[in-house]
Amino acid sequence: MKFEWRRTAPTRPWLLLRPGAVWDWLLVEAGGAHRQGQGEPPANLQARVALIVPGECCSQFQLAAPPGLKRDEWPLLLEDRLLQNPDEVLCACLSRQAGQLHLMAVARQLLEPWREQCAEWGLRVEYCWAEFQLLPTPEPGSAWQWQRSPDVSLCKGRGEDAAEHWLAWPAVLGELPAQPWSGLHRQMVAGPWPTSLAALDKLPSLLERPRRARSLPDVSRQQQQLLAACLVLATAWGGLWLSQQWRQVQTWRAQVLAVTGEQASPRHAAQALKRLRESELQQQLRERQLEDLQARLQAWLREHPSWRLQAARFDGQRWHLRLDGDGAAPPWTEMASAAGAAVQVQDGQVVFDLGAAV
């Protein structure tokens, strides 16, 4: 019997770098041994470098997302929740389950100077994690409270519904908010780094990891010729397809310009189209309201022949009327309420405002 022995490559340590007025670093070596310090780390550590985003500099969101959403489309889900433009935010997906995405977001303008500082030290950043990710995942109904410094605490908890919560809480604000933290069993940790770390090898990174290039197998000369012919055909077909797509795009662009006019960017054009669509829907709604009011007024006039319509005018939003007759006036308020409009009666003139809330 023949045995094959394999040598297992030693695991490289982790070097965690956290920016600040004074940078903190933590070296996590094989076997769980830790070394820590401040400022520039020691040279020649031969470690994998991870940039740690301070808890107060990142945001996390858990929200519904359509299937098949691509990485560069994640910031679009946060467009209504962030102050920055989606292009100014870098997103990472921490987990996916049941149609929900757990996203972490960081402003790009924060990361660039931090990475430049690492480059000055001769360190190549391969991973980027939020401080909250360093804490192990708590059990449902429990939480970690990490007193990182006298000024701030970082809390990471999970409710009974397994929803995860993050909170960077300044000490000057006093006790933690009641919800959801008062109902969670808290485990306290103090110091510049957690005493227990999550499994670093499994943490999703804010930076997209480069893909390893695959080596191509050896091919014969005949296979090379066949491959070259396929590439020529694919290039010709691709050129034809791109030409058709270009003409179609130009047609669509001309159609959009005819409706919205010249716009600064595709995003502005989309917003202009959205406003036009909303305006069209509002106009359709007003037309339906006007038809309803006209039907109600005609029905009332048939029941009260002593009244006559003297004048009527519609300016696109307001319906101006003038009636003449004896006896009780039409129930203007009742008519307006039924049609979802507002009404004003003054000096014998009635004005229904179809764009105002009742």
Side-chain angles (χ1 to χ4, degrees):
M1 183 177 293
K2 187 177 181 180
F3 294 94
E4 181 180 356
W5 295 90
R6 294 183 180 180
R7 177 178 296 178
T8 302
T11 303
R12 293 171 58 201
W14 286 100
L15 177 61
L16 311 183
L17 298 171
R18 181 177 58 215
V22 177
W23 284 52
D24 293 296
W25 60 266
L26 177 70
L27 183 67
V28 183
E29 300 178 291
H34 296 170
R35 293 165 53 193
Q36 58 182 292
Q38 292 185 321
E40 182 177 356
N44 301 320
L45 292 177
Q46 301 299 317
R48 293 170 288 179
V49 179
L51 182 64
I52 308 302
V53 179
E56 57 270 27
C57 297
C58 61
S59 302
Q60 67 119 7
F61 305 88
Q62 192 162 350
L63 65 170
L69 199 67
K70 299 179 181 178
R71 181 186 179 97
D72 56 359
E73 295 172 330
W74 293 342
L76 299 179
L77 295 176
L78 309 177
E79 190 171 8
D80 297 333
R81 300 167 181 257
L82 297 175
L83 298 178
Q84 300 98 324
N85 187 294
D87 297 335
E88 300 173 356
V89 175
L90 197 61
C91 272
C93 179
L94 304 184
S95 65
R96 301 169 180 255
Q97 56 181 356
Q100 296 275 325
L101 283 185
H102 185 185
L103 298 179
M104 178 179 69
V106 179
R108 292 180 183 271
Q109 65 178 3
L110 290 178
L111 291 177
E112 291 307 317
W114 293 343
R115 298 180 71 177
E116 290 173 1
Q117 177 62 72
C118 293
E120 289 182 12
W121 289 338
L123 300 171
R124 184 172 67 89
V125 176
E126 301 178 51
Y127 302 84
C128 183
W129 300 318
E131 272 190 301
F132 297 99
Q133 291 178 266
L134 299 181
L135 292 167
T137 301
E139 295 295 326
S142 62
W144 290 93
Q145 183 173 346
W146 172 19
Q147 186 74 40
R148 190 189 67 195
S149 70
D151 300 325
V152 66
S153 291
L154 302 180
C155 300
K156 178 179 180 179
R158 293 180 72 194
E160 294 296 343
D161 58 354
E164 191 167 301
H165 307 280
W166 293 2
L167 178 66
W169 189 253
V172 295
L173 298 182
E175 295 294 325
L176 292 177
Q179 294 296 330
W181 307 102
S182 61
L184 300 180
H185 173 70
R186 279 178 271 166
Q187 185 170 348
M188 309 296 291
V189 185
W193 298 98
T195 53
S196 298
L197 291 173
L200 301 181
D201 293 316
K202 299 180 180 179
L203 293 182
S205 173
L206 185 64
L207 304 176
E208 189 172 11
R209 297 180 61 179
R211 298 176 180 176
R212 296 180 180 178
R214 296 182 179 179
S215 59
L216 295 175
D218 295 334
V219 294
S220 65
R221 181 176 182 83
Q222 183 178 5
Q223 290 173 326
Q224 292 177 357
Q225 293 174 346
L226 179 60
L227 179 60
C230 292
L231 289 175
V232 171
L233 290 175
T235 302
W237 182 88
L240 177 61
W241 181 83
L242 287 175
S243 176
Q244 293 175 342
Q245 290 298 310
W246 172 257
R247 288 196 294 269
Q248 184 63 57
V249 168
Q250 294 305 308
T251 301
W252 289 337
R253 183 175 183 272
Q255 292 173 348
V256 172
L257 286 175
V259 176
T260 66
E262 190 70 34
Q263 298 293 327
S265 68
R267 185 182 177 194
H268 287 83
Q271 292 174 344
L273 286 173
K274 181 180 179 181
R275 289 193 296 268
L276 289 172
R277 178 59 177 164
E278 290 174 350
S279 176
E280 181 182 353
L281 291 175
Q282 287 293 327
Q283 187 62 33
Q284 292 175 358
L285 174 61
R286 290 169 186 167
E287 291 175 356
R288 289 195 296 269
Q289 289 175 300
L290 179 61
E291 292 174 358
D292 185 21
L293 286 171
Q294 289 174 335
R296 292 178 183 277
L297 181 59
Q298 290 173 359
W300 189 89
L301 289 173
R302 284 195 298 268
E303 296 175 358
H304 300 79
S306 61
W307 283 82
R308 292 184 306 163
L309 179 64
Q310 297 290 334
R313 177 173 60 87
F314 182 58
D315 61 10
Q317 177 174 329
R318 298 173 183 83
W319 192 30
H320 303 259
L321 300 174
R322 185 176 294 277
L323 275 74
D324 181 38
D326 298 324
W332 302 121
T333 303
E334 180 181 340
M335 291 182 181
S337 178
V343 66
Q344 290 184 348
V345 182
Q346 186 176 5
D347 298 332
Q349 184 174 3
V350 182
V351 179
F352 289 96
D353 190 345
L354 308 186
V358 179

